[in-house]
Every structure is written in C-alpha cells, then in structure tokens.
Amino acid sequence: MKLKRRWASAILAAALAAFLAGAAASAQQLTGPAPESREGKAPAEPRADEVVPARQEPRPSDAPRPSETGSQPRVRFDAEVEDVDAAIDALVADMPLTEKIGQLCQVAAEGAAKTQATWDAIRFGQVGSIINAPDRAYVDEAQRIAREESPHGIPLLIGRDVIHGYRTVFPIPLGQAASWHPELVERAAAVAAGEAASEGINWTFAPMVDVCRDPRWGRIAETLGEDPLLASDLAAAMVRGFQQEDDDGKLHGLVACV
C-alpha cells in the first residue's frame, strides 16, 4: 500500500489537539452540575464505609451505530486526494471527540477470546493502531473493518518492532554501526521493510537514535554507536531504507519512528 506523506502523523496530531481543546468542555457536559436533593442541597458525600456502585459505561457492542443516531459521517478517508492538509482538516472537523480519542488508542493483538472485542472497537472508531498482529489474515480483517465499517474509514497503523530485519535477520544496529557504511544500512532496512509490509505491517519503531556510551544500559543493542555524527548518518540511512519515499511523498515501505 502506498502511504501518503503526513497522513498518519497529521491525523494523530490533529486528533490530540482537538482532544485537549475539548476535554474540559466535554467533561463538564458529561458530569454537569451536582444534582440537588429535595431540600435544595447537593447530596452528601458517601461515608468511608459505604460501597458506591461503579459507573457502568456502554461497551462498544452496546453503543449505537451512526445510522441509529442520525449522525452519519459526511467525510471519508481518501488516500489519493491531492490536497492532503485540507483533507485532514475536513476529516478531523467531521469527527466527534470519541473518534478523535480513538485515533490515539493503541491495542495489542490478543488471543481468539479478545478478537471480537477488538473488531467491535475498530468498528466504532475506538482504535487507531494495533501492535504485534499475529499474521496477515488478522491484519487484513482489521483493516477491512476499519475501511469499510468504521465511521470515517480511516485505516489502521499496524506497528511492530522491525529493528534489524524481519524474516531476514541482520546484525543489531550497534553491529551495523561498526560497518561505517550508510548504503549497506539503508539496503538492510529496505529488505526488512519489504518483508514486513508483505505481512500488512506499515509502521516500525526504529531507528533508535540515542547516543550510548554506557554498556550497562539495557537498550544499547538498538543504538547506532557512540558518535553523534555516525549515528545521525546511519539513522537517516535507516529511515530512507524503511520508508522508500518517492519524490511525490508516497511511502512504499514502512513509516519509520525515530
């Protein structure tokens, strides 16, 4: 799948900004003023030894669909639009707060008992990304639901730790740094991106660009050495290899996460 540049990051950033701006107002709408008792006073606080029932929130399967509420979405995701920024603005403006929050929610792929709950959450726009999907069939079904059945048809980010290879395992980043060879690092990342993309993955949590000089640190294996210039050059090469971005801004590999 060819990914338009900035779609994923811009939708997440816009959703987060809208969420922060509207959170306080929405909280006020949800809670409202304290109800008064028959004597015109607010109800007393519960005693310390009193058991207060938990507030029951509706589950995704209980929530009404957009067609049942009369608030059908007016804008759908379209990866082929020319003006990406305008399309993102229109899409986010049409999304209710719950779906904006949903774009910020990431879930880990669970066992079969959890799958239906995940499908329901995607269907109602409550999931923006999935990590560690077990196979291509799982990813395809998740993306089908997101594109065809979710309110605005926004595809999911499918993330995985593709750090130094996927099916083909290359040396750890620290070992690659010892090569002092950006072209080789870029080629290795491109191979990993191709293999991962064939499984439906579109987002990797690499490269890690912290400069490390203390071997006691647990993630030293993911660093690209202790020299800032070398680490910078190799990180840029790794991003190029992962993303395989063309002149039009389309990505033919994975979205890198520096």
Side-chain angles (χ1 to χ4, degrees):
M1 173 185 176
K2 294 182 179 180
L3 300 176
K4 277 282 190 176
R5 190 185 204 180
R6 303 193 309 277
W7 262 118
S9 59
I11 288 176
L12 288 173
L16 178 58
F19 165 62
L20 293 175
S26 296
Q28 178 63 30
Q29 293 174 2
L30 288 172
T31 58
E36 293 189 353
S37 64
R38 293 180 181 178
E39 292 76 21
K41 299 179 181 179
E45 293 294 327
R47 302 189 309 273
D49 60 347
E50 183 179 354
V51 177
V52 180
R55 180 177 177 181
Q56 297 296 319
E57 298 290 350
R59 296 171 299 174
S61 58
D62 300 329
R65 294 178 179 273
S67 59
E68 296 171 355
T69 63
S71 56
Q72 285 284 5
R74 295 168 296 176
V75 182
R76 299 281 292 178
F77 175 88
D78 182 1
E80 300 303 322
V81 294
E82 294 298 326
D83 191 340
V84 174
D85 290 334
I88 291 171
D89 290 341
L91 185 66
V92 173
D94 195 55
M95 295 168 65
L97 182 60
T98 54
E99 289 180 45
K100 293 171 184 174
I101 296 172
Q103 284 297 306
L104 307 177
C105 292
Q106 182 178 90
V107 299
E110 301 278 359
K114 299 280 188 177
T115 300
Q116 187 57 52
T118 301
W119 293 165
D120 286 342
I122 296 171
R123 188 171 286 116
F124 287 95
Q126 297 176 353
V127 174
S129 61
I130 294 175
I131 58 172
N132 300 331
D135 51 42
R136 182 59 189 258
Y138 183 102
V139 172
D140 287 346
E141 179 61 10
Q143 293 286 31
R144 184 197 67 77
I145 294 173
R147 293 193 182 99
E148 298 178 9
E149 300 183 28
S150 71
H152 287 85
I154 301 174
L156 300 165
L157 287 170
I158 308 296
R160 201 173 186 94
D161 276 322
V162 183
I163 307 299
H164 55 101
Y166 187 67
R167 296 300 182 193
T168 303
V169 179
F170 295 98
I172 62 174
L174 186 61
Q176 293 186 41
S179 72
W180 290 70
H181 202 316
E183 291 78 12
L184 279 179
V185 171
E186 181 175 343
R187 287 170 56 191
V191 170
E195 293 178 349
S198 70
E199 294 288 324
I201 297 164
N202 54 29
W203 181 27
T204 178
F205 307 119
M208 196 273 283
V209 295
D210 289 331
V211 175
C212 181
R213 296 189 174 97
D214 190 336
R216 294 174 297 178
W217 183 39
R219 299 187 76 87
I220 189 173
E222 292 185 24
T223 70
L224 289 164
E226 59 181 341
D227 180 76
L229 178 60
L230 175 64
S232 298
D233 287 346
L234 297 184
M238 195 172 285
V239 169
R240 290 193 300 270
F242 279 137
Q243 298 198 153
Q244 302 170 42
E245 183 175 350
D246 62 22
D247 294 336
D248 294 331
K250 292 182 178 179
L251 306 186
H252 300 267
L254 310 178
V255 177
C257 182
V258 177

